[in-house]
């Protein structure tokens, strides 16, 4: 029986730089950091302290997962900022927005009211963008306009 999402991949351009970004700027914790097999790929996962069952794997395109041409194409998409990596939830989007900006996180949208809550958008150090969202109490408001 499916129990839920456990690990999601975020494609990054440099794992060490990504590790610093996700831990030092976003405040996530390293869950696993090891090399798999002789000369193998680096397995690096991070996650939120209060969400032990969900991890993000920070992977460089290639490393045995795909052919070199596909890896280069994916790296170009990541570096152009064309990939949205997901939604990161918060209970204080405006306060966390200010704290993360002070740590050097690049926001591409200030907090704005949406039918599902208050949302800001930021990029990681590789170019991936995330929705940073404080969910609306009571759930989705289908009457609210996209302002």
């Amino acid at each position: 029986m499916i129990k839920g999402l456990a690990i999601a991949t975020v494609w990054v351009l440099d794992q060490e730089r990504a590790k610093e970004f996700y831990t030092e700027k976003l405040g996530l914790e390293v869950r696993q950091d090891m090399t798999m097999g002789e000369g193998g790929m680096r397995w690096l996962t991070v996650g939120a302290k209060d969400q032990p069952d969900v991890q993000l794997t920070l992977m460089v395109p290639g490393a045995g997962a795909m052919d070199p041409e596909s890896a280069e194409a994916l790296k170009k998409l990541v570096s152009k900022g064309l990939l949205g990596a997901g939604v990161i939830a918060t209970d204080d989007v405006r306060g966390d927005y200010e704290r993360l900006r002070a740590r050097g996180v690049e926001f591409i949208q200030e907090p704005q009211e949406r039918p599902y809550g208050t949302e800001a958008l930021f990029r990681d150090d590789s170019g991936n963008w995330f929705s940073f969202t404080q969910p609306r109490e009571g759930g989705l408001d289908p009457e609210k306009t996209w302002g």
Side-chain angles (χ1 to χ4, degrees):
M1 181 66 97
I2 294 175
K3 294 173 68 175
L5 179 67
I7 300 173
T9 300
V10 177
W11 297 107
V12 299
L13 302 177
D14 179 295
Q15 284 177 305
E16 196 57 35
R17 234 183 41 220
K19 178 181 175 181
E20 291 175 21
F21 177 86
Y22 283 87
T23 59
E24 295 174 17
K25 291 189 178 180
L26 295 186
L28 301 181
E29 63 184 13
V30 172
R31 299 282 174 75
Q32 299 174 352
D33 189 355
M34 63 184 186
T35 301
M36 298 175 70
E38 191 175 314
M41 70 172 196
R42 182 177 181 188
W43 180 255
L44 172 61
T45 67
V46 295
K49 291 178 177 91
D50 294 334
Q51 195 177 25
D53 295 339
V54 178
Q55 301 177 73
L56 298 177
T57 303
L58 307 176
M59 295 288 295
V60 175
M66 62 190 69
D67 63 85
E69 183 180 334
S70 297
E72 283 307 309
L74 185 51
K75 286 177 185 177
K76 285 181 183 176
L77 292 173
V78 170
S79 66
K80 285 183 175 184
L82 296 176
L83 299 181
V87 177
I88 295 181
T90 178
D91 58 3
D92 180 14
V93 71
R94 294 183 190 285
D96 286 340
Y97 165 82
E98 293 299 334
R99 282 185 282 282
L100 294 178
R101 269 186 28 156
R103 291 183 195 162
V105 174
E106 174 195 357
F107 279 86
I108 55 177
Q109 176 193 289
E110 294 180 5
Q112 295 184 12
E113 298 301 317
R114 302 283 188 229
Y116 47 83
T118 307
E119 173 189 60
L121 299 176
F122 71 85
R123 290 193 194 284
D124 71 6
D125 67 309
S126 292
N128 297 298
W129 61 270
F130 287 84
S131 169
F132 189 52
T133 301
Q134 180 177 345
R136 182 183 172 281
E137 283 189 38
L140 181 67
D141 180 358
E143 303 297 318
K144 182 156 184 61
T145 60
W146 290 81

